[in-house]
Structure formats: C-alpha cells, structure tokens
Amino acid sequence: MTDTDSGVRFQVQPEFHAVPLGLGVDEDAFAEQMRQFALGYWGEREELEDLRGLTRAMYSAQAETLVAGGAVYNALGIFPIGGTADGSEPPERVSRASLTVSVRDLDNPDPRLTAAGIAEALDKGPAGGEVQLISLPAGPAVVHLAGSRAVWELEDGGEHEQYFLRIEVWLPFPGEDRVLLLCLSTPDVQDLYRYQAILADIADTVAFGESGTQTGAGTGAAQAPAPAPAPGVPSPLASY
C-alpha cells in the first residue's frame, strides 16, 4: 500500500517501479534517489554510465514538471508478455507503461455532481476519446480513454510516428475541493485491454483519509500487488 501526504492510499502491481519525485526531501537526497533509480534501471556496467546520466537528467526534469502539476506518485511499468512463469521460456516481448497519480484542486460540492461535470468537460474537450461514468469503492469516478500521435523528423529527411494510448481515472475526493487523477499511458496500444485491467485493479484499491502506515510515494520501495477483484464481481472498468 502506498500512502501520500495528500491523504490518498492505493496499491500498484509489482511490475511498477517508482520514479523519484523529490517530494519531502532536499536536493542532495533527491539526487541520490535518482542515482539509485538510474542504477537499478541500467545496472552497474561502467560503459552504461552515459545512459545512467541521461536517465537521471531526463527523469529529474520530468519530476519537476509533474510535481508542478500536482503529482504525488510516478512509476514505470515493465510487463513481460508471453514466456513461462518459471523463466524456462523467455518473454516474447516487453510492454511498458507509465503511471502518474496526481491531486488537483477543483470545486467539489458533491462527488457525484463533480464526476458528472468532469465527464461532460472531457467529452467536449479537445482531447477527444471516450468518456464513461463509473462507480468505484472510493466513490463516483470518470474513465477517459484517448489516443495521440507524435511525429519526429529524422536526420535523413524522413519521419517517425508513434501512437500513444492514455487511460485516465478521475476520482473526486469525498469531502474536499480536490480530485484524484490516475493516468496510465503507453506506446504499446495493442495492449489496451491488459492496461485497462491493470488500471482498474489500481483504481479499486484507492482509499481516502489518513493511514497508520506511511511508506512515502515515489521512494522506490516495493509495492504490494493489488488484490484481485472478488469472484463474480467484475471491475467497473471491465466492460469499458
């Protein structure tokens, strides 16, 4: 279970690896957290130091932007596809996704009315996609599914395009003028159904209020796997 200073608790699957955000620590401590993250990502081989340095710089800059937007947790998910559980057969490929959990200020007279307003705003917004009102254990929420396309110009004059999938869950706080945003994005659009299920399981574990155990978001500590939905009770995101 991950607790945040914003009064939100949730669980993520063990395939997610927390990326430091620098919350609640000084500059030197944040630099050490990021050094450890890059080391864990690339390993200790000396010839990979340039890549570790690039990773530290890239994620440090990203953390600053995310925190400014209200992020309280950020993680990189690495999911093997295929293969066997015992490792006798390697995975056919690896699918990657990023998960960001943010808290944003929003006038919230009533969670149900607020969720309806969010759904209407997203439905009419420029991002397009699909919007659906759902009910989670923590309260009424909104699922937003949208795709995007990025194009890079190559040195030889050509172009490289990449499609991204973004799944969001907007969940108003039950008694505060704030909203929780769970955002999962991936370039592996063929894994849509897998990531819908993954985010649904995380959303089902969200709880508001204080907890007796503080693990600290973004510290890189291992997270307990999210519990499976009860037998015979489908996730509200399952049919989306």
Side-chain angles (χ1 to χ4, degrees):
M1 179 70 73
T2 295
D3 291 335
T4 76
D5 291 337
S6 300
V8 179
R9 306 189 305 279
F10 54 91
Q11 289 180 321
V12 302
Q13 294 82 353
E15 289 85 358
F16 282 105
H17 305 275
V19 181
L21 287 172
L23 298 172
V25 299
D26 60 25
E27 186 175 337
D28 290 340
F30 177 49
E32 177 58 22
Q33 288 178 356
M34 195 60 71
R35 189 188 73 82
Q36 291 294 335
F37 172 77
L39 186 64
Y41 189 92
W42 291 107
E44 299 181 354
R45 288 166 53 190
E46 185 177 349
E47 63 269 26
L48 297 180
E49 177 55 31
D50 287 345
L51 289 175
R52 289 193 291 268
L54 178 62
T55 298
R56 292 193 298 270
M58 181 179 67
Y59 279 103
S60 294
Q62 183 186 63
E64 184 176 350
T65 301
L66 290 175
V67 171
V72 296
Y73 179 82
N74 184 36
L76 175 65
I78 303 175
F79 295 85
I81 308 297
T84 56
D86 61 5
S88 58
E89 294 291 335
E92 300 170 5
R93 60 185 177 89
V94 174
S95 184
R96 289 177 169 82
S98 62
L99 173 67
T100 304
V101 180
S102 304
V103 175
R104 301 185 180 184
D105 293 332
L106 183 70
D107 187 26
N108 179 20
D110 175 83
R112 193 165 298 280
L113 292 176
T114 300
I118 292 172
E120 182 177 2
L122 291 172
D123 189 48
K124 296 180 179 179
E130 300 179 33
V131 179
Q132 181 175 335
L133 282 164
I134 63 171
S135 180
L136 294 174
V142 180
V143 177
H144 180 216
L145 172 64
S148 60
R149 173 177 172 267
V151 179
W152 292 272
E153 294 185 0
L154 303 178
E155 292 183 356
D156 61 5
E159 292 183 342
H160 172 73
E161 66 176 7
Q162 178 71 64
Y163 289 89
F164 294 88
L165 176 70
R166 180 182 177 97
I167 312 171
E168 300 173 342
V169 175
W170 297 73
L171 179 58
F173 277 63
E176 302 179 44
D177 288 335
R178 298 191 294 171
V179 61
L180 181 71
L181 172 59
L182 310 175
C183 178
L184 190 152
S185 61
T186 178
D188 296 317
V189 296
Q190 71 272 28
D191 297 322
L192 166 62
Y193 297 121
R194 175 183 296 272
Y195 285 121
Q196 281 180 312
I198 287 171
L199 189 58
D201 285 347
I202 296 172
D204 282 342
T205 70
V206 171
F208 296 104
E210 299 300 325
S211 171
T213 302
Q214 294 290 326
T215 60
T219 61
Q223 308 298 332
V233 182
S235 164
L237 276 70
S239 62
Y240 182 65

Short mmCIF file of all heavy atoms in Angstrom, two decimals, residues 160-228:
data_model
loop_
_atom_site.label_atom_id
_atom_site.label_comp_id
_atom_site.label_asym_id
_atom_site.label_seq_id
_atom_site.Cartn_x
_atom_site.Cartn_y
_atom_site.Cartn_z
N HIS A 160 9.32 9.71 -38.27
CA HIS A 160 8.96 8.56 -37.44
C HIS A 160 7.74 8.93 -36.63
O HIS A 160 7.71 9.97 -35.97
CB HIS A 160 10.11 8.19 -36.50
CG HIS A 160 9.73 7.13 -35.50
ND1 HIS A 160 9.55 5.82 -35.84
CD2 HIS A 160 9.45 7.22 -34.16
CE1 HIS A 160 9.20 5.12 -34.77
NE2 HIS A 160 9.13 5.95 -33.74
N GLU A 161 6.69 8.11 -36.73
CA GLU A 161 5.49 8.39 -35.97
C GLU A 161 5.27 7.33 -34.91
O GLU A 161 5.65 6.17 -35.06
CB GLU A 161 4.26 8.46 -36.88
CG GLU A 161 3.88 7.17 -37.56
CD GLU A 161 2.61 7.31 -38.37
OE1 GLU A 161 2.11 8.45 -38.52
OE2 GLU A 161 2.10 6.29 -38.87
N GLN A 162 4.67 7.77 -33.81
CA GLN A 162 4.40 6.87 -32.69
C GLN A 162 3.04 7.20 -32.11
O GLN A 162 2.71 8.37 -31.89
CB GLN A 162 5.48 7.04 -31.61
CG GLN A 162 5.26 6.19 -30.36
CD GLN A 162 5.51 4.73 -30.63
OE1 GLN A 162 6.63 4.34 -30.95
NE2 GLN A 162 4.48 3.92 -30.51
N TYR A 163 2.24 6.18 -31.91
CA TYR A 163 0.93 6.35 -31.30
C TYR A 163 1.01 6.03 -29.82
O TYR A 163 1.75 5.13 -29.41
CB TYR A 163 -0.10 5.46 -31.99
CG TYR A 163 -0.45 5.93 -33.39
CD1 TYR A 163 0.28 5.47 -34.47
CD2 TYR A 163 -1.49 6.82 -33.60
CE1 TYR A 163 -0.02 5.90 -35.76
CE2 TYR A 163 -1.80 7.25 -34.89
CZ TYR A 163 -1.07 6.80 -35.95
OH TYR A 163 -1.36 7.23 -37.22
N PHE A 164 0.25 6.76 -29.03
CA PHE A 164 0.23 6.56 -27.59
C PHE A 164 -1.22 6.37 -27.13
O PHE A 164 -2.14 6.97 -27.69
CB PHE A 164 0.83 7.75 -26.84
CG PHE A 164 2.29 7.94 -27.08
CD1 PHE A 164 2.75 8.70 -28.15
CD2 PHE A 164 3.23 7.37 -26.23
CE1 PHE A 164 4.10 8.88 -28.37
CE2 PHE A 164 4.58 7.55 -26.44
CZ PHE A 164 5.02 8.30 -27.52
N LEU A 165 -1.39 5.56 -26.13
CA LEU A 165 -2.69 5.34 -25.51
C LEU A 165 -2.65 5.92 -24.10
O LEU A 165 -1.69 5.74 -23.37
CB LEU A 165 -2.98 3.84 -25.45
CG LEU A 165 -4.26 3.42 -24.75
CD1 LEU A 165 -5.47 3.83 -25.58
CD2 LEU A 165 -4.27 1.90 -24.53
N ARG A 166 -3.71 6.61 -23.73
CA ARG A 166 -3.80 7.24 -22.41
C ARG A 166 -5.12 6.85 -21.77
O ARG A 166 -6.19 7.07 -22.36
CB ARG A 166 -3.69 8.76 -22.56
CG ARG A 166 -3.77 9.56 -21.25
CD ARG A 166 -3.70 11.04 -21.56
NE ARG A 166 -3.84 11.87 -20.38
CZ ARG A 166 -2.83 12.39 -19.69
NH1 ARG A 166 -1.60 12.15 -20.09
NH2 ARG A 166 -3.05 13.15 -18.63
N ILE A 167 -5.04 6.24 -20.58
CA ILE A 167 -6.24 5.88 -19.82
C ILE A 167 -6.21 6.67 -18.52
O ILE A 167 -5.23 6.61 -17.77
CB ILE A 167 -6.29 4.37 -19.52
CG1 ILE A 167 -6.02 3.54 -20.78
CG2 ILE A 167 -7.65 4.00 -18.94
CD1 ILE A 167 -5.85 2.06 -20.50
N GLU A 168 -7.28 7.39 -18.25
CA GLU A 168 -7.36 8.21 -17.05
C GLU A 168 -8.55 7.78 -16.19
O GLU A 168 -9.60 7.39 -16.72
CB GLU A 168 -7.55 9.69 -17.41
CG GLU A 168 -6.44 10.28 -18.24
CD GLU A 168 -6.74 11.69 -18.70
OE1 GLU A 168 -7.95 12.07 -18.67
OE2 GLU A 168 -5.81 12.40 -19.10
N VAL A 169 -8.38 7.88 -14.90
CA VAL A 169 -9.48 7.74 -13.95
C VAL A 169 -9.49 8.99 -13.07
O VAL A 169 -8.52 9.26 -12.37
CB VAL A 169 -9.34 6.47 -13.08
CG1 VAL A 169 -10.45 6.44 -12.02
CG2 VAL A 169 -9.39 5.21 -13.92
N TRP A 170 -10.59 9.74 -13.15
CA TRP A 170 -10.78 10.95 -12.35
C TRP A 170 -11.71 10.60 -11.19
O TRP A 170 -12.83 10.13 -11.40
CB TRP A 170 -11.41 12.06 -13.18
CG TRP A 170 -10.57 12.54 -14.33
CD1 TRP A 170 -10.32 11.89 -15.50
CD2 TRP A 170 -9.87 13.78 -14.40
NE1 TRP A 170 -9.51 12.64 -16.32
CE2 TRP A 170 -9.22 13.81 -15.67
CE3 TRP A 170 -9.73 14.87 -13.54
CZ2 TRP A 170 -8.45 14.90 -16.08
CZ3 TRP A 170 -8.96 15.95 -13.96
CH2 TRP A 170 -8.33 15.96 -15.21
N LEU A 171 -11.25 10.85 -9.96
CA LEU A 171 -11.99 10.44 -8.77
C LEU A 171 -12.06 11.60 -7.78
O LEU A 171 -11.05 11.93 -7.14
CB LEU A 171 -11.31 9.22 -8.14
CG LEU A 171 -11.89 8.63 -6.86
CD1 LEU A 171 -13.34 8.23 -7.05
CD2 LEU A 171 -11.05 7.43 -6.42
N PRO A 172 -13.21 12.25 -7.64
CA PRO A 172 -13.33 13.37 -6.68
C PRO A 172 -13.12 12.90 -5.24
O PRO A 172 -13.55 11.82 -4.85
CB PRO A 172 -14.76 13.87 -6.90
CG PRO A 172 -15.14 13.39 -8.26
CD PRO A 172 -14.45 12.07 -8.42
N PHE A 173 -12.44 13.74 -4.45
CA PHE A 173 -12.33 13.48 -3.02
C PHE A 173 -13.74 13.52 -2.41
O PHE A 173 -14.58 14.31 -2.83
CB PHE A 173 -11.45 14.53 -2.35
CG PHE A 173 -9.97 14.25 -2.45
CD1 PHE A 173 -9.33 14.22 -3.68
CD2 PHE A 173 -9.21 14.03 -1.31
CE1 PHE A 173 -7.97 13.97 -3.77
CE2 PHE A 173 -7.85 13.78 -1.39
CZ PHE A 173 -7.23 13.75 -2.62
N PRO A 174 -14.02 12.70 -1.41
CA PRO A 174 -15.38 12.63 -0.86
C PRO A 174 -15.81 13.88 -0.12
O PRO A 174 -17.00 14.18 -0.06
CB PRO A 174 -15.33 11.42 0.07
CG PRO A 174 -13.88 11.25 0.41
CD PRO A 174 -13.12 11.68 -0.80
N GLY A 175 -14.89 14.62 0.47
CA GLY A 175 -15.30 15.77 1.27
C GLY A 175 -14.40 16.98 1.14
O GLY A 175 -14.34 17.81 2.04
N GLU A 176 -13.66 17.09 0.03
CA GLU A 176 -12.72 18.20 -0.17
C GLU A 176 -12.83 18.71 -1.60
O GLU A 176 -13.34 18.02 -2.49
CB GLU A 176 -11.28 17.74 0.09
CG GLU A 176 -11.03 17.18 1.48
CD GLU A 176 -9.58 16.73 1.63
OE1 GLU A 176 -8.68 17.47 1.20
OE2 GLU A 176 -9.36 15.63 2.16
N ASP A 177 -12.36 19.92 -1.80
CA ASP A 177 -12.37 20.52 -3.13
C ASP A 177 -11.13 20.08 -3.90
O ASP A 177 -10.29 20.89 -4.30
CB ASP A 177 -12.42 22.05 -3.04
CG ASP A 177 -13.78 22.54 -2.57
OD1 ASP A 177 -14.77 21.80 -2.77
OD2 ASP A 177 -13.86 23.64 -2.01
N ARG A 178 -11.03 18.77 -4.09
CA ARG A 178 -9.89 18.21 -4.82
C ARG A 178 -10.35 16.99 -5.61
O ARG A 178 -11.40 16.40 -5.33
CB ARG A 178 -8.76 17.80 -3.86
CG ARG A 178 -8.17 18.96 -3.07
CD ARG A 178 -6.89 18.54 -2.36
NE ARG A 178 -7.14 17.54 -1.33
CZ ARG A 178 -6.16 16.90 -0.68
NH1 ARG A 178 -4.90 17.14 -0.96
NH2 ARG A 178 -6.45 16.01 0.27
N VAL A 179 -9.54 16.62 -6.61
CA VAL A 179 -9.84 15.44 -7.41
C VAL A 179 -8.55 14.66 -7.60
O VAL A 179 -7.47 15.23 -7.75
CB VAL A 179 -10.46 15.83 -8.77
CG1 VAL A 179 -9.51 16.69 -9.59
CG2 VAL A 179 -10.88 14.60 -9.56
N LEU A 180 -8.66 13.34 -7.58
CA LEU A 180 -7.52 12.45 -7.80
C LEU A 180 -7.53 12.02 -9.26
O LEU A 180 -8.58 11.66 -9.81
CB LEU A 180 -7.64 11.22 -6.91
CG LEU A 180 -6.50 10.19 -7.01
CD1 LEU A 180 -5.22 10.76 -6.38
CD2 LEU A 180 -6.89 8.89 -6.32
N LEU A 181 -6.37 12.06 -9.90
CA LEU A 181 -6.24 11.65 -11.30
C LEU A 181 -5.22 10.54 -11.41
O LEU A 181 -4.04 10.73 -11.09
CB LEU A 181 -5.82 12.84 -12.18
CG LEU A 181 -5.47 12.51 -13.63
CD1 LEU A 181 -6.63 11.85 -14.35
CD2 LEU A 181 -5.01 13.77 -14.37
N LEU A 182 -5.67 9.36 -11.82
CA LEU A 182 -4.78 8.25 -12.15
C LEU A 182 -4.62 8.23 -13.66
O LEU A 182 -5.61 8.17 -14.39
CB LEU A 182 -5.37 6.92 -11.69
CG LEU A 182 -5.88 6.80 -10.26
CD1 LEU A 182 -6.55 5.44 -10.05
CD2 LEU A 182 -4.74 6.98 -9.28
N CYS A 183 -3.39 8.29 -14.12
CA CYS A 183 -3.15 8.34 -15.57
C CYS A 183 -2.13 7.28 -15.95
O CYS A 183 -1.00 7.29 -15.46
CB CYS A 183 -2.65 9.72 -15.99
SG CYS A 183 -2.27 9.83 -17.75
N LEU A 184 -2.52 6.38 -16.83
CA LEU A 184 -1.63 5.35 -17.36
C LEU A 184 -1.48 5.59 -18.85
O LEU A 184 -2.47 5.67 -19.58
CB LEU A 184 -2.21 3.96 -17.09
CG LEU A 184 -1.28 2.77 -17.37
CD1 LEU A 184 -1.64 1.59 -16.46
CD2 LEU A 184 -1.36 2.33 -18.82
N SER A 185 -0.25 5.72 -19.32
CA SER A 185 0.00 5.95 -20.75
C SER A 185 1.02 4.94 -21.26
O SER A 185 1.93 4.53 -20.54
CB SER A 185 0.49 7.38 -21.00
OG SER A 185 1.71 7.62 -20.33
N THR A 186 0.86 4.55 -22.52
CA THR A 186 1.74 3.55 -23.12
C THR A 186 1.79 3.72 -24.63
O THR A 186 0.79 4.09 -25.25
CB THR A 186 1.26 2.13 -22.77
OG1 THR A 186 2.11 1.17 -23.40
CG2 THR A 186 -0.17 1.89 -23.25
N PRO A 187 2.95 3.42 -25.23
CA PRO A 187 3.02 3.38 -26.69
C PRO A 187 2.58 2.02 -27.24
O PRO A 187 2.42 1.87 -28.45
CB PRO A 187 4.51 3.64 -26.97
CG PRO A 187 5.20 3.06 -25.77
CD PRO A 187 4.29 3.33 -24.62
N ASP A 188 2.40 1.06 -26.37
CA ASP A 188 2.01 -0.29 -26.78
C ASP A 188 0.49 -0.39 -26.85
O ASP A 188 -0.16 -1.00 -26.00
CB ASP A 188 2.59 -1.32 -25.82
CG ASP A 188 4.12 -1.32 -25.84
OD1 ASP A 188 4.69 -1.26 -26.94
OD2 ASP A 188 4.73 -1.37 -24.76
N VAL A 189 -0.07 0.23 -27.89
CA VAL A 189 -1.52 0.35 -28.00
C VAL A 189 -2.19 -1.01 -28.17
O VAL A 189 -3.38 -1.17 -27.87
CB VAL A 189 -1.91 1.28 -29.16
CG1 VAL A 189 -1.41 2.69 -28.89
CG2 VAL A 189 -1.34 0.78 -30.49
N GLN A 190 -1.44 -2.02 -28.63
CA GLN A 190 -2.02 -3.35 -28.78
C GLN A 190 -2.34 -3.99 -27.45
O GLN A 190 -3.07 -4.99 -27.40
CB GLN A 190 -1.08 -4.26 -29.59
CG GLN A 190 0.19 -4.68 -28.87
CD GLN A 190 1.33 -3.70 -29.05
OE1 GLN A 190 1.11 -2.51 -29.24
NE2 GLN A 190 2.56 -4.21 -29.02
N ASP A 191 -1.83 -3.42 -26.37
CA ASP A 191 -2.06 -3.97 -25.03
C ASP A 191 -3.16 -3.21 -24.29
O ASP A 191 -3.19 -3.20 -23.05
CB ASP A 191 -0.77 -3.95 -24.22
CG ASP A 191 0.31 -4.83 -24.82
OD1 ASP A 191 -0.05 -5.91 -25.33
OD2 ASP A 191 1.49 -4.45 -24.80
N LEU A 192 -4.06 -2.59 -25.02
CA LEU A 192 -5.12 -1.79 -24.42
C LEU A 192 -5.87 -2.54 -23.33
O LEU A 192 -6.01 -2.06 -22.21
CB LEU A 192 -6.10 -1.34 -25.51
CG LEU A 192 -7.45 -0.78 -25.01
CD1 LEU A 192 -7.24 0.47 -24.18
CD2 LEU A 192 -8.37 -0.50 -26.20
N TYR A 193 -6.36 -3.74 -23.65
CA TYR A 193 -7.18 -4.47 -22.67
C TYR A 193 -6.39 -4.84 -21.43
O TYR A 193 -6.91 -4.83 -20.31
CB TYR A 193 -7.79 -5.70 -23.33
CG TYR A 193 -8.71 -5.37 -24.48
CD1 TYR A 193 -8.48 -5.85 -25.76
CD2 TYR A 193 -9.82 -4.54 -24.28
CE1 TYR A 193 -9.31 -5.52 -26.82
CE2 TYR A 193 -10.66 -4.21 -25.33
CZ TYR A 193 -10.41 -4.70 -26.60
OH TYR A 193 -11.23 -4.36 -27.64
N ARG A 194 -5.13 -5.18 -21.61
CA ARG A 194 -4.28 -5.50 -20.47
C ARG A 194 -4.16 -4.29 -19.54
O ARG A 194 -4.31 -4.41 -18.32
CB ARG A 194 -2.89 -5.93 -20.95
CG ARG A 194 -1.88 -6.16 -19.83
CD ARG A 194 -0.52 -6.51 -20.41
NE ARG A 194 -0.56 -7.75 -21.15
CZ ARG A 194 -0.35 -8.95 -20.63
NH1 ARG A 194 -0.09 -9.06 -19.34
NH2 ARG A 194 -0.39 -10.02 -21.37
N TYR A 195 -3.91 -3.12 -20.11
CA TYR A 195 -3.72 -1.94 -19.28
C TYR A 195 -5.03 -1.41 -18.70
O TYR A 195 -5.04 -0.79 -17.63
CB TYR A 195 -2.98 -0.86 -20.07
CG TYR A 195 -1.52 -1.18 -20.22
CD1 TYR A 195 -0.93 -1.32 -21.48
CD2 TYR A 195 -0.72 -1.40 -19.09
CE1 TYR A 195 0.42 -1.64 -21.61
CE2 TYR A 195 0.62 -1.73 -19.22
CZ TYR A 195 1.19 -1.84 -20.48
OH TYR A 195 2.52 -2.16 -20.59
N GLN A 196 -6.15 -1.64 -19.38
CA GLN A 196 -7.43 -1.31 -18.76
C GLN A 196 -7.62 -2.11 -17.47
O GLN A 196 -8.05 -1.56 -16.45
CB GLN A 196 -8.57 -1.63 -19.74
CG GLN A 196 -8.77 -0.58 -20.82
CD GLN A 196 -9.91 -0.95 -21.73
OE1 GLN A 196 -9.99 -2.08 -22.22
NE2 GLN A 196 -10.80 -0.02 -21.97
N ALA A 197 -7.30 -3.39 -17.53
CA ALA A 197 -7.45 -4.24 -16.35
C ALA A 197 -6.49 -3.82 -15.24
O ALA A 197 -6.84 -3.82 -14.05
CB ALA A 197 -7.24 -5.70 -16.72
N ILE A 198 -5.25 -3.48 -15.63
CA ILE A 198 -4.24 -3.06 -14.65
C ILE A 198 -4.68 -1.80 -13.92
O ILE A 198 -4.64 -1.72 -12.68
CB ILE A 198 -2.88 -2.86 -15.34
CG1 ILE A 198 -2.28 -4.22 -15.72
CG2 ILE A 198 -1.92 -2.07 -14.45
CD1 ILE A 198 -1.05 -4.12 -16.60
N LEU A 199 -5.14 -0.79 -14.67
CA LEU A 199 -5.56 0.45 -14.04
C LEU A 199 -6.84 0.25 -13.24
O LEU A 199 -7.03 0.88 -12.19
CB LEU A 199 -5.75 1.55 -15.09
CG LEU A 199 -5.97 2.96 -14.53
CD1 LEU A 199 -4.80 3.39 -13.65
CD2 LEU A 199 -6.19 3.96 -15.64
N ALA A 200 -7.72 -0.62 -13.71
CA ALA A 200 -8.95 -0.91 -12.96
C ALA A 200 -8.62 -1.48 -11.59
O ALA A 200 -9.23 -1.10 -10.58
CB ALA A 200 -9.83 -1.88 -13.75
N ASP A 201 -7.66 -2.41 -11.54
CA ASP A 201 -7.29 -3.00 -10.25
C ASP A 201 -6.70 -1.96 -9.32
O ASP A 201 -6.95 -1.98 -8.11
CB ASP A 201 -6.28 -4.14 -10.47
CG ASP A 201 -6.93 -5.40 -11.02
OD1 ASP A 201 -8.17 -5.48 -11.00
OD2 ASP A 201 -6.19 -6.29 -11.49
N ILE A 202 -5.90 -1.03 -9.86
CA ILE A 202 -5.34 0.03 -9.02
C ILE A 202 -6.44 0.94 -8.50
O ILE A 202 -6.50 1.28 -7.31
CB ILE A 202 -4.29 0.84 -9.80
CG1 ILE A 202 -3.10 -0.05 -10.19
CG2 ILE A 202 -3.81 2.04 -8.98
CD1 ILE A 202 -2.12 0.63 -11.13
N ALA A 203 -7.35 1.34 -9.40
CA ALA A 203 -8.43 2.25 -9.01
C ALA A 203 -9.31 1.63 -7.93
O ALA A 203 -9.81 2.34 -7.04
CB ALA A 203 -9.27 2.61 -10.23
N ASP A 204 -9.50 0.33 -7.97
CA ASP A 204 -10.33 -0.34 -6.96
C ASP A 204 -9.71 -0.29 -5.57
O ASP A 204 -10.41 -0.50 -4.57
CB ASP A 204 -10.55 -1.81 -7.35
CG ASP A 204 -11.60 -1.97 -8.43
OD1 ASP A 204 -12.38 -1.02 -8.64
OD2 ASP A 204 -11.63 -3.03 -9.08
N THR A 205 -8.40 -0.03 -5.46
CA THR A 205 -7.74 -0.01 -4.15
C THR A 205 -7.64 1.39 -3.55
O THR A 205 -7.18 1.53 -2.42
CB THR A 205 -6.31 -0.58 -4.24
OG1 THR A 205 -5.47 0.33 -4.97
CG2 THR A 205 -6.29 -1.94 -4.94
N VAL A 206 -8.04 2.42 -4.29
CA VAL A 206 -7.90 3.79 -3.80
C VAL A 206 -8.74 3.99 -2.55
O VAL A 206 -9.91 3.59 -2.48
CB VAL A 206 -8.32 4.81 -4.88
CG1 VAL A 206 -8.39 6.22 -4.29
CG2 VAL A 206 -7.33 4.78 -6.04
N ALA A 207 -8.14 4.61 -1.54
CA ALA A 207 -8.85 4.96 -0.31
C ALA A 207 -8.41 6.35 0.12
O ALA A 207 -7.24 6.72 -0.02
CB ALA A 207 -8.56 3.95 0.79
N PHE A 208 -9.36 7.12 0.62
CA PHE A 208 -9.06 8.46 1.09
C PHE A 208 -8.99 8.48 2.61
O PHE A 208 -9.63 7.68 3.29
CB PHE A 208 -10.14 9.45 0.62
CG PHE A 208 -10.20 9.61 -0.87
CD1 PHE A 208 -11.20 9.01 -1.62
CD2 PHE A 208 -9.25 10.36 -1.53
CE1 PHE A 208 -11.27 9.16 -2.98
CE2 PHE A 208 -9.29 10.52 -2.90
CZ PHE A 208 -10.31 9.92 -3.63
N GLY A 209 -8.21 9.41 3.15
CA GLY A 209 -8.10 9.55 4.60
C GLY A 209 -6.73 9.14 5.09
O GLY A 209 -5.89 8.65 4.34
N GLU A 210 -6.50 9.35 6.37
CA GLU A 210 -5.21 9.07 6.97
C GLU A 210 -5.02 7.58 7.19
O GLU A 210 -5.96 6.81 7.34
CB GLU A 210 -5.06 9.81 8.31
CG GLU A 210 -5.15 11.32 8.19
CD GLU A 210 -4.07 11.90 7.30
OE1 GLU A 210 -2.95 11.35 7.32
OE2 GLU A 210 -4.33 12.88 6.59
N SER A 211 -3.74 7.16 7.21
CA SER A 211 -3.41 5.75 7.46
C SER A 211 -2.34 5.70 8.53
O SER A 211 -1.54 6.61 8.69
CB SER A 211 -2.90 5.08 6.18
OG SER A 211 -2.38 3.81 6.45
N GLY A 212 -2.30 4.59 9.23
CA GLY A 212 -1.30 4.44 10.30
C GLY A 212 0.07 4.12 9.78
O GLY A 212 1.06 4.22 10.51
N THR A 213 0.19 3.73 8.51
CA THR A 213 1.49 3.35 7.94
C THR A 213 1.84 4.28 6.82
O THR A 213 1.10 4.40 5.86
CB THR A 213 1.45 1.90 7.39
OG1 THR A 213 1.08 1.04 8.46
CG2 THR A 213 2.81 1.50 6.86
N GLN A 214 2.98 4.95 6.93
CA GLN A 214 3.43 5.86 5.89
C GLN A 214 4.64 5.26 5.18
O GLN A 214 5.68 5.08 5.77
CB GLN A 214 3.83 7.22 6.49
CG GLN A 214 2.66 7.99 7.10
CD GLN A 214 1.72 8.50 6.03
OE1 GLN A 214 2.15 8.85 4.94
NE2 GLN A 214 0.44 8.52 6.34
N THR A 215 4.43 4.94 3.86
CA THR A 215 5.54 4.40 3.10
C THR A 215 6.20 5.46 2.23
O THR A 215 7.34 5.31 1.83
CB THR A 215 5.07 3.25 2.20
OG1 THR A 215 4.08 3.76 1.30
CG2 THR A 215 4.49 2.12 3.01
N GLY A 216 5.44 6.51 1.92
CA GLY A 216 6.03 7.59 1.13
C GLY A 216 5.97 7.28 -0.34
O GLY A 216 6.51 6.30 -0.81
N ALA A 217 5.29 8.14 -1.12
CA ALA A 217 5.20 7.94 -2.56
C ALA A 217 6.50 8.32 -3.22
O ALA A 217 7.15 9.28 -2.85
CB ALA A 217 4.05 8.78 -3.13
N GLY A 218 6.84 7.58 -4.25
CA GLY A 218 8.00 7.93 -5.04
C GLY A 218 9.32 7.59 -4.39
O GLY A 218 10.36 8.08 -4.82
N THR A 219 9.35 6.77 -3.37
CA THR A 219 10.60 6.46 -2.72
C THR A 219 11.30 5.27 -3.35
O THR A 219 12.45 4.99 -3.04
CB THR A 219 10.36 6.13 -1.24
OG1 THR A 219 9.51 4.98 -1.14
CG2 THR A 219 9.71 7.30 -0.52
N GLY A 220 10.59 4.57 -4.22
CA GLY A 220 11.20 3.41 -4.86
C GLY A 220 11.00 2.13 -4.07
O GLY A 220 11.50 1.09 -4.45
N ALA A 221 10.26 2.18 -2.96
CA ALA A 221 10.02 0.98 -2.17
C ALA A 221 9.12 0.03 -2.93
O ALA A 221 8.27 0.43 -3.69
CB ALA A 221 9.35 1.36 -0.84
N ALA A 222 9.31 -1.26 -2.70
CA ALA A 222 8.49 -2.25 -3.38
C ALA A 222 7.05 -2.11 -2.92
O ALA A 222 6.77 -1.88 -1.76
CB ALA A 222 8.99 -3.67 -3.10
N GLN A 223 6.10 -2.27 -3.87
CA GLN A 223 4.70 -2.12 -3.57
C GLN A 223 4.03 -3.49 -3.52
O GLN A 223 4.36 -4.37 -4.30
CB GLN A 223 4.02 -1.26 -4.65
CG GLN A 223 4.72 0.08 -4.89
CD GLN A 223 4.74 0.95 -3.67
OE1 GLN A 223 3.85 0.86 -2.84
NE2 GLN A 223 5.73 1.79 -3.54
N ALA A 224 3.06 -3.63 -2.63
CA ALA A 224 2.29 -4.87 -2.58
C ALA A 224 1.40 -4.96 -3.79
O ALA A 224 0.87 -3.95 -4.24
CB ALA A 224 1.45 -4.90 -1.30
N PRO A 225 1.21 -6.15 -4.35
CA PRO A 225 0.35 -6.27 -5.52
C PRO A 225 -1.09 -5.94 -5.19
O PRO A 225 -1.56 -6.19 -4.07
CB PRO A 225 0.51 -7.75 -5.92
CG PRO A 225 0.95 -8.43 -4.67
CD PRO A 225 1.76 -7.43 -3.92
N ALA A 226 -1.79 -5.38 -6.16
CA ALA A 226 -3.19 -5.04 -5.94
C ALA A 226 -4.01 -6.31 -5.82
O ALA A 226 -3.78 -7.27 -6.55
CB ALA A 226 -3.72 -4.19 -7.11
N PRO A 227 -4.99 -6.34 -4.92
CA PRO A 227 -5.80 -7.54 -4.77
C PRO A 227 -6.68 -7.77 -5.98
O PRO A 227 -7.12 -6.82 -6.61
CB PRO A 227 -6.65 -7.22 -3.52
CG PRO A 227 -6.72 -5.74 -3.48
CD PRO A 227 -5.41 -5.26 -4.01
N ALA A 228 -6.94 -9.02 -6.29
CA ALA A 228 -7.81 -9.35 -7.41
C ALA A 228 -9.25 -9.05 -7.04
O ALA A 228 -9.64 -9.13 -5.88
CB ALA A 228 -7.66 -10.83 -7.77
#
